[in-house]
Amino acid sequence: MTMNLFVYKTYEELSRHAADQVIQSVVDKPEAVLCMATGSTPILTYSYVSAFAKQNRVDFSRVHFISLDEWVGVPRTNAGSCYAFLHASLFAPLVIRNDHIHFFNTEADDLVFECKRIDAKIIELGGIDFMLLGVGMNGHIGFNEPGVSRKLNAHVIELDEVTCTVGQKYFSEETKLKNGITLGLAQIMKSRKILLLATGSDKQDIIRKTLEGKISNDVPASFIRKHPNGYVLLDLSAAGELTIGL
Ligand code: F6R
């Protein structure tokens, strides 16, 4: 299997390359539909994207953003929500119109309807062009937790214990995390291009399982290896002792 694997010496270098890819996707298709993960990993990528776009007047005015995932029970006004993170790191600096941001509203009464609304929006926009993903310590992508069906579109999921524990790092005070809402693996696999980023030695083990283990829903991130236009970008510490592609 050919694997589009790139290993960079530093987090900065990885982030520059990831940012270049985001920018390029918009230069190639100014009405691109993007779907971006939140979390610690892409922070620097997004700050490079915003700075570069401003400096070089890259036009993001026709771009649409689709929500990847959100914590259920955490309002958008909470700085730890995925919405607040992306608003601060991309939507505000890139001046994205509200009607080009299609985000799960976890305060809606009917979350199943919310899932259907986002499923329909993806179809209406002609599919996702570019997805940037991180990988959880348990191998999740978005909130597709270990064991999830490959066939699902957007859905509400009970979060894995690891996700609830690790997730505390995004919040200024202890926050009850139980359920998440996420695009499904079916939608992730249909997106036209995927970049999966991992940095830091904490991710070594899960990256080894993702790239060298069996492709299975035990490690949802492993499906990236089946995507025809999937790229994995690592820094040296996340790559660890990988034997492939180096
Ligand atoms: C968040 C998301 C998650 C994170 C993953 C890694 O929107 O989709 O799957 O990408 O949990 O998070 P960090 O980058 O904080 O290690």
Side-chain angles (χ1 to χ4, degrees):
M1 186 178 335
T2 49
M3 165 76 107
N4 297 311
L5 173 64
F6 296 88
V7 180
Y8 300 99
K9 281 205 187 78
T10 62
Y11 175 54
E12 286 72 21
E13 212 183 313
L14 172 147
S15 305
R16 285 219 178 272
H17 280 85
D20 286 350
Q21 302 271 332
V22 178
I23 296 284
Q24 197 55 49
S25 68
V26 174
V27 169
D28 291 346
K29 187 173 178 185
E31 68 284 12
V33 178
L34 309 185
C35 178
M36 318 298 269
T38 63
S40 317
T41 311
I43 290 178
L44 193 56
T45 300
Y46 297 161
S47 104
Y48 287 151
V49 168
S50 302
F52 186 90
K54 251 188 217 160
Q55 243 168 35
N56 299 280
R57 308 225 164 121
V58 181
D59 181 12
F60 271 72
S61 66
R62 290 160 66 196
V63 169
H64 283 259
F65 283 88
I66 291 280
S67 180
L68 172 62
D69 51 8
E70 187 56 283
W71 309 98
V72 171
V74 174
R76 285 181 180 189
T77 45
N78 185 322
S81 70
C82 297
Y83 180 87
F85 174 96
L86 286 175
H87 190 270
S89 54
L90 288 176
F91 305 155
L94 296 171
V95 202
I96 305 299
R97 298 160 43 161
N98 269 337
D99 61 342
H100 282 206
I101 300 170
H102 313 285
F103 228 82
F104 291 119
N105 173 13
T106 59
E107 290 179 279
D109 290 335
D110 186 346
L111 292 182
V112 174
F113 178 79
E114 260 315 278
C115 293
K116 294 206 173 109
R117 185 178 70 80
I118 294 293
D119 289 347
K121 186 50 83 176
I122 294 173
I123 291 169
E124 182 195 321
L125 292 172
I128 296 169
D129 292 298
F130 184 97
M131 203 175 242
L132 188 144
L133 299 174
V135 53
M137 295 294 289
N138 61 358
H140 74 202
I141 43 179
F143 282 149
N144 289 278
E145 301 284 35
V148 70
S149 158
R150 234 206 95 153
K151 297 193 177 120
L152 289 182
N153 284 327
H155 59 281
V156 177
I157 192 163
E158 180 162 359
L159 296 167
D160 198 77
E161 227 179 281
V162 176
T163 304
C164 297
T165 310
V166 175
Q168 294 301 325
K169 70 176 172 171
Y170 307 123
F171 297 92
S172 53
E173 52 192 46
E174 202 179 321
T175 303
K176 189 172 176 307
L177 302 172
K178 186 168 186 294
N179 294 314
I181 187 165
T182 184
L183 296 191
L185 289 177
Q187 288 156 319
I188 293 178
M189 291 305 283
K190 266 190 221 145
S191 84
R192 295 189 184 94
K193 179 169 182 175
I194 303 180
L195 238 58
L196 184 140
L197 314 183
T199 60
S201 54
D202 286 357
K203 295 278 170 73
Q204 260 179 37
D205 279 355
I206 196 62
I207 281 299
R208 211 182 46 250
K209 288 181 187 143
T210 298
L211 301 184
E212 297 187 336
K214 210 173 123 208
I215 298 178
S216 101
N217 60 358
D218 290 342
V219 180
S222 63
F223 286 112
I224 181 96
R225 287 153 60 195
K226 286 201 157 191
H227 193 285
N229 206 14
Y231 294 79
V232 177
L233 278 59
L234 308 175
D235 66 1
L236 270 178
S237 25
E241 306 294 311
L242 279 182
T243 51
I244 49 164
L246 300 176

